[in-house]
Amino acid sequence: MRDRLFFPAIALAALVMVALALVWPQGLGDRSPGVFGRTPTQRTPAVQAAMQRETEAANRRVNQARQAVSDLQSQAISPTQ
């Protein structure tokens, strides 16, 4: 392909990609600009509450596991029999 056709084609493709990036809806991320914007799914109150519950449950499981390991280590060091 000649350079006279190749470079304008590449420039046009780059411009099309930039224009598409400016208007394409962003899905679950941040809001899209202008008329394409909507509240992302992860920012709705119901999903935020579910994520908070999941985080708290995971923290409880981690703390229980740490406590169990600590108890087993204490029993190994000084058994009470």
Side-chain angles (χ1 to χ4, degrees), residues 12-63:
L12 180 64
L15 288 174
V16 167
M17 289 174 29
V18 168
L20 183 63
L22 289 173
V23 299
W24 191 261
Q26 299 299 310
L28 297 178
D30 284 336
R31 288 183 181 213
S32 298
V35 293
F36 296 102
R38 61 177 172 80
T39 302
T41 304
Q42 293 176 342
R43 291 191 186 173
T44 59
V47 174
Q48 288 285 321
M51 289 170 53
Q52 183 66 29
R53 287 191 306 269
E54 184 178 337
T55 301
E56 290 170 355
N59 286 338
R60 268 188 261 115
R61 286 191 301 270
V62 167
N63 288 336

